Amino acid sequence: MSENEVKITVRPNGPYRVEGPCKLLDADGKEWDLTGKPVFSLCRCGGSTNKPFCDGTHSKIGFQAAEAAVAKADAQ
């Protein structure tokens, strides 16, 4: 992975792990301060008290998610 590349990994029944330089904006377009955070995890269970970041709540509430990418059914 190059230093300018962003990598997002879907963690099994967990958060989105983001690695690399990027901007994270809230719903109003305000940028989150990611200083000192070259890697962070974003909540996808909806239960984090530190949204948009993961706080581990997914494991406490038994969050289950479909991790696999779905292939197009009509690919021929």
Side-chain angles (χ1 to χ4, degrees), residues 9-33:
T9 305
V10 178
R11 304 297 287 253
N13 296 318
Y16 295 117
R17 180 178 169 89
V18 182
E19 302 174 66
C22 66
K23 287 184 180 182
L24 179 61
L25 307 177
D26 69 12
D28 297 322
K30 182 178 175 190
E31 187 172 346
W32 287 88
D33 182 7

Side-chain angles (χ1 to χ4, degrees), residues 10-14 16 44 63-70:
V10 178
R11 304 297 287 253
N13 296 318
Y16 295 117
R44 70 179 172 138
F63 177 69
Q64 297 288 309
E67 263 73 31
V70 178

Side-chain angles (χ1 to χ4, degrees), residues 43-75:
C43 175
R44 70 179 172 138
C45 75
S48 175
T49 58
N50 192 31
K51 290 180 190 87
F53 304 102
C54 174
D55 68 359
T57 298
H58 60 274
S59 61
K60 296 174 189 152
I61 64 173
F63 177 69
Q64 297 288 309
E67 263 73 31
V70 178
K72 286 187 176 182
D74 59 355

